[in-house]
Amino acid sequence: MAFWKPGTAAPQLGLERPTGLSETEAGDTIGYNPHYRLPFKQQKLLLPIARARENILYALERYKTVVLVGETGSGKSTQVPQYLHESGWTQGDRVVLCTQPRRVAAITVAARVAEEMGCKLGGIVGYAVRFDSRVDEGGSRTRIKFVTDGLLLRETLYDPLLSAYSVIILDEAHERSMYTDVLLGLLKKVRKRRPELRIMISSATADAETFRDFFETFTYKGVSSEQSEGSNHDSTIVSITGRQHAVDVFYLSKAPRNYLRSAVDTVLSIIESEGRGDVLVFLPGMEEIDEAVVTVKEHLNALGGMENVVLVLPLHSSLPHHLQMKALQPPSRHVERKVIFATNIAETSLTIEGIRFIVDCGFVKLPVYDVRTGFESLVTTSVSRASATQRAGRAGRTGPGKCFRLYTEEAFSTLSAHTTPEVQRSNLAWMILQLKALGIDQVMTFDFIAQPSAEALMRGLELLYALGALDDRCRLTPDLGEKMAEFPVEPRLAKLLLASFDFHCTEEALTLVALLQVQNVWTNPKGRESRTIQEAAMAELASRDGDHLTLLAIYREWEEAGRSTEWCSEHFLNPRSLTRAREIRGQLRRYLERYKPKGSVFASCVDDSEALRRCVLTGFFFNAARLKSDGRYYTVRDGHPVALHSTSVLAKYGAPAEWIVYNDVVITSEPFLRDCSRIQPLWLMELAPHFYAYGGGKGTSISTSTNIC
């Protein structure tokens, strides 16, 4: 595998691995904070943002919206909330709120700020993320609060004007998550009602003017900065120079056949031939990360003793909090190098100590919604040039670094400039439900910073109407729609939970929905023998009725085994995923206790598998497929050809199911269905008569209202 650096001689076929750093370059292991021995007060003064403190505070007094542009490592996430607290923005029971795109970032930044301020996390400084919260009871003492952008969007349901907050900071807004884009539109409306509210947007340079112009009442177009200086505008940009060091970027001479194998080989090459410094490897998803971690550990073990001095760790959103923290914290003294395999969770939001080498596979998993087919799936796609630049920059935080891109320079030049905003590639049903709950009925004319397609909005309205969340006038139904909006899960799962009381399977529904919130509960064993043993373990737990009942059986057996890690190992199950599901189940139960239909009780259907499958169908009747005479499955609604995913128990055991309901679609060579269960066709007409009708001998046909709103 040959890397080359642009500007040097062209690569040759026989080019050897890159040579290691010289002893002078290598030095000691680099840590993120070289001033950790100093008091926090002195450390903070050494951050690049310290020089801009007065400019930031002045801008916030002068302008209603401030776009803060700062490179990663400048200190904006941790220091700005403290500046605002010190300058009086939290006096009189006011709160400074800071959003993060991911839960792990919200938690880690909150912990760091609390440590710097010398207070207990959950007191003056707190955080709130989905299914986890550490704020003072009643919020009476918490003055700096970190949340995910999704949680803030939900908070607008209870306080549409966000009256508790004096300043709202949208951090990492350039990632353009759907929640962030919706929040931008909502905050623009809130600001009209609350002129005293200040909004700060942390962004990459490329998006700064886009954000400023979105909030600006004065038009900048065609006006120079000198001309606009005295104008009556209310938004501005403040730039901070970060402490970015030079990063040498290397490309492959030709595209690899297998980027995962190439990533592992590159890591082993760095360990063997490069100087000291930790390694951060970007891979698309959890499955690839787990496989890479196991492979590298096996290679290190074969070298004899290397596994004790090189710490190999995963980092992705499905990991429990303490394991995510393990990847972020400095290792023990005997560890010479840390290798972290991460998703794009580590691209901008997180600070990881000691990173000097980046390995970028060039891919990312993004949720993509196909309006035409109705398929919503995680698609592995190429990163944008902006994301690739962000990834490379992680190696230059504390000193010169290197970035090894597992693609050619020509391929880099063909990448899109920026990642498509999530609101333009997602199922919008949940977003529409939240806007409706806020009283924003005309969602087609909502002020988005990036307008989604009319077709996507109509699809979202259609789904909510079919679920019973909207009435004929496109208003939220009080008995169902308003309750569904309160749940922190997508509308179909909220409907499933609320309908579970009708089928007397609420306990099972809670377990199932919680398990569907975590990624794969199965591990990925290496080697033919291990996979054979796993197949036997899977067969022991599998239900011939499908994946939903199999998940339920796994959870029950795990509970009966005392939630034993040893039992999980014997059955090739991921104890972290099961533990996380148990935590989520407890949270969802509290929601159901609050919003359950009057007079309903929590019940168990025990071994009545039909009750649970019918309950699943109430939320996912859209997702039905039928096996036809050519041996292929076709979606009932649109007749698109699909196939069962190889991990589905319906693809492994027993006779093929003629009719199925599915939760998820994975698109590779063709659409593959995951989380499937066997159903009866009459259930479709019984449980969704407004959506399905008997086709008079030709099977089941679609009968959908075309005049939704």
Side-chain angles (χ1 to χ4, degrees):
M1 184 169 54
F3 285 97
W4 75 291
K5 179 181 177 182
T8 62
Q12 303 297 321
L13 291 177
L15 189 67
E16 297 180 356
R17 290 175 176 172
T19 57
L21 295 171
S22 67
E23 291 184 13
T24 304
E25 291 175 309
D28 294 327
T29 301
I30 297 175
Y32 160 66
N33 183 7
H35 310 293
Y36 71 95
R37 295 183 185 276
L38 298 175
F40 278 132
K41 185 175 182 180
Q42 293 183 37
Q43 290 185 41
K44 290 157 67 172
L45 291 175
L46 293 171
L47 289 170
I49 198 171
R51 297 189 295 271
R53 183 182 189 275
E54 298 306 318
N55 290 341
I56 293 169
L57 294 176
Y58 168 77
L60 211 59
E61 290 283 354
R62 170 69 177 79
Y63 301 96
K64 295 178 181 178
T65 302
V66 176
V67 182
L68 187 62
V69 179
E71 296 175 355
T72 301
S74 60
K76 58 186 184 297
S77 297
T78 57
Q79 301 309 303
V80 171
Q82 295 183 67
Y83 295 164
L84 300 178
H85 177 65
E86 294 162 359
S87 58
W89 286 93
T90 58
Q91 291 180 356
D93 293 334
R94 296 188 298 174
V95 178
V96 169
L97 183 84
C98 183
T99 73
Q100 294 288 338
R102 298 177 183 85
R103 68 191 310 272
V104 64
I107 295 170
T108 54
V109 176
R112 174 66 184 184
V113 171
E115 184 182 15
E116 289 187 4
M117 294 179 64
C119 63
K120 184 179 179 181
L121 184 61
I124 295 176
V125 180
Y127 70 82
V129 298
R130 192 173 73 146
F131 304 126
D132 188 14
S133 176
R134 290 189 66 178
V135 295
D136 183 53
E137 291 296 330
S140 59
R141 285 183 56 238
T142 299
R143 291 291 169 262
I144 299 175
K145 183 178 175 183
F146 292 86
V147 300
T148 55
D149 43 15
L151 198 86
L152 178 58
L153 184 57
R154 287 188 48 75
E155 194 169 327
T156 57
L157 295 176
Y158 310 103
D159 183 8
L161 294 181
L162 300 171
S163 55
Y165 306 118
S166 58
V167 182
I168 295 176
I169 305 170
L170 300 183
D171 204 1
E172 309 292 355
H174 57 270
E175 292 196 12
R176 300 298 299 277
S177 72
M178 179 165 63
Y179 301 131
T180 298
D181 275 20
V182 175
L183 279 174
L184 289 169
L186 289 174
L187 289 175
K188 188 174 181 179
K189 294 173 71 72
V190 170
R191 202 183 67 170
K192 295 177 181 178
R193 300 281 300 275
R194 288 190 58 204
E196 80 283 2
L197 175 67
R198 294 296 184 265
I199 299 167
M200 182 173 287
I201 302 167
S202 168
S203 169
T205 305
D207 291 319
E209 292 186 357
T210 301
F211 291 125
R212 180 200 62 188
D213 294 347
F214 179 69
F215 281 93
E216 185 54 69
T217 54
F218 171 83
T219 302
Y220 279 87
K221 188 174 182 180
V223 179
S224 67
S225 58
E226 291 80 7
Q227 290 174 316
S228 67
E229 185 64 30
S231 303
N232 190 29
H233 50 79
D234 52 13
S235 301
T236 191
I237 298 172
V238 176
S239 298
I240 304 165
T241 303
R243 52 182 182 196
Q244 186 70 22
H245 297 269
V247 176
D248 290 334
V249 178
F250 298 85
Y251 295 90
L252 284 177
S253 55
K254 61 179 181 179
R257 292 183 178 180
N258 185 323
Y259 68 82
L260 188 58
R261 180 71 255 177
S262 181
V264 170
D265 289 343
T266 304
V267 168
L268 295 174
S269 175
I270 291 171
I271 293 172
E272 175 187 332
S273 59
E274 294 286 357
R276 290 188 176 184
D278 294 339
V279 185
L280 176 60
V281 187
F282 286 99
L283 291 175
M286 182 184 76
E287 293 179 1
E288 295 89 343
I289 287 172
D290 288 346
E291 182 177 346
V293 167
V294 170
T295 303
V296 171
K297 284 183 176 180
E298 288 178 349
H299 278 278
L300 294 176
N301 187 49
L303 293 174
M306 285 293 290
E307 72 276 9
N308 296 322
V309 295
V310 178
L311 183 62
V312 184
L313 297 167
L315 180 59
H316 50 77
S317 59
S318 293
L319 284 174
H321 175 61
H322 72 281
L323 291 178
Q324 291 176 341
M325 293 302 101
K326 189 175 181 180
L328 304 181
Q329 294 165 350
S332 56
R333 290 185 177 182
H334 74 273
V335 174
E336 296 180 2
R337 194 194 300 270
K338 187 165 62 172
V339 178
I340 300 170
F341 288 91
T343 60
N344 61 340
I345 190 176
E347 196 170 292
T348 57
S349 301
L350 301 178
T351 295
I352 305 177
E353 300 186 3
I355 298 300
R356 194 167 184 178
F357 303 99
I358 296 294
V359 179
D360 178 12
C361 75
F363 293 100
V364 64
K365 278 188 178 178
L366 295 175
V368 175
Y369 179 64
D370 188 325
V371 176
R372 182 180 59 85
T373 63
F375 291 152
E376 184 179 16
S377 62
L378 275 175
V379 176
T380 300
T381 185
S382 298
V383 298
S384 64
R385 292 198 301 274
S387 290
T389 301
Q390 287 282 353
R391 291 180 175 189
R394 307 303 279 181
R397 294 285 297 273
T398 56
K402 290 185 177 182
C403 174
F404 299 93
R405 288 177 173 161
L406 305 182
Y407 43 93
T408 65
E409 187 178 20
E410 181 182 3
F412 175 78
S413 66
T414 63
L415 297 175
S416 60
H418 300 282
T419 305
T420 303
E422 190 177 6
V423 75
Q424 295 181 331
R425 53 178 170 82
S426 297
N427 185 336
L428 303 180
W430 189 89
M431 180 204 74
I432 294 171
L433 187 64
Q434 300 302 305
L435 291 177
K436 292 282 186 180
L438 287 168
I440 301 173
D441 286 321
Q442 301 302 320
V443 294
M444 301 294 287
T445 58
F446 182 75
D447 192 3
F448 290 98
I449 189 171
Q451 186 67 31
S453 68
E455 293 82 2
L457 288 167
M458 287 300 296
R459 274 278 193 169
L461 289 166
E462 179 186 3
L463 173 59
L464 293 174
Y465 179 78
L467 288 172
L470 300 180
D471 60 21
D472 291 340
R473 299 178 61 193
C474 248
R475 303 288 179 89
L476 281 184
T477 52
D479 55 335
L480 184 59
E482 291 179 2
K483 291 179 180 179
M484 286 171 58
E486 299 289 345
F487 281 79
V489 293
E490 64 134 316
R492 290 172 295 188
L493 292 175
K495 172 69 179 291
L496 186 162
L497 287 171
L498 290 167
S500 66
F501 293 100
D502 297 330
F503 297 94
H504 309 291
C505 63
T506 306
E507 297 293 351
E508 288 76 14
L510 279 168
T511 300
L512 177 61
V513 172
L515 286 165
L516 292 174
Q517 297 301 296
V518 300
Q519 294 194 35
N520 197 1
V521 297
W522 298 98
T523 58
N524 295 305
K526 291 183 66 66
R528 181 178 300 176
E529 183 178 350
S530 295
R531 285 194 291 269
T532 301
I533 298 173
Q534 185 193 45
E535 287 291 332
M538 187 180 292
E540 178 186 336
L541 295 168
S543 167
R544 299 309 189 263
D545 285 326
D547 300 312
H548 299 113
L549 274 298
T550 299
L551 286 172
L552 196 61
I554 289 170
Y555 190 86
R556 284 173 171 169
E557 292 287 337
W558 176 65
E559 287 281 11
E560 290 178 7
R563 301 191 287 276
S564 166
T565 302
E566 183 179 347
W567 180 86
C568 288
S569 298
E570 292 173 356
H571 291 80
F572 294 88
L573 293 165
N574 189 334
R576 300 192 302 264
S577 296
L578 291 171
T579 301
R580 179 70 182 141
R582 187 171 184 270
E583 295 170 356
I584 293 173
R585 188 186 189 280
Q587 293 277 354
L588 290 174
R589 186 182 180 90
R590 287 191 280 275
Y591 277 94
L592 266 187
E593 287 171 347
R594 184 184 306 173
Y595 299 111
K596 67 181 180 181
K598 189 175 181 180
S600 299
V601 295
F602 286 76
S604 170
C605 62
V606 193
D607 295 323
D608 184 1
S609 69
E610 179 177 322
L612 183 62
R613 285 181 289 146
R614 287 163 65 92
C615 182
V616 170
L617 201 57
T618 61
F620 288 87
F621 56 82
F622 259 68
N623 296 358
R626 181 186 183 184
L627 183 67
K628 293 196 174 181
S629 57
D630 61 358
R632 299 198 64 183
Y633 282 97
Y634 293 84
T635 59
V636 177
R637 180 182 179 185
D638 297 315
H640 291 291
V642 291
L644 291 174
H645 196 275
S646 60
T647 58
S648 173
V649 298
L650 293 180
K652 295 174 178 288
Y653 311 110
E658 184 178 356
W659 294 81
I660 61 173
V661 61
Y662 60 90
N663 280 75
D664 193 19
V665 180
V666 176
I667 299 177
T668 52
S669 57
E670 61 179 315
F672 289 96
L673 310 181
R674 293 197 304 191
D675 299 326
C676 308
S677 280
R678 191 187 304 266
I679 61 170
Q680 296 296 325
L682 291 178
W683 296 354
L684 293 171
M685 290 171 279
E686 177 187 343
L687 299 173
H690 56 292
F691 200 76
Y692 292 105
Y694 187 63
K698 296 183 180 180
T700 303
S701 59
I702 301 299
S703 176
T704 306
S705 172
T706 56
N707 186 22
I708 300 298
C709 289

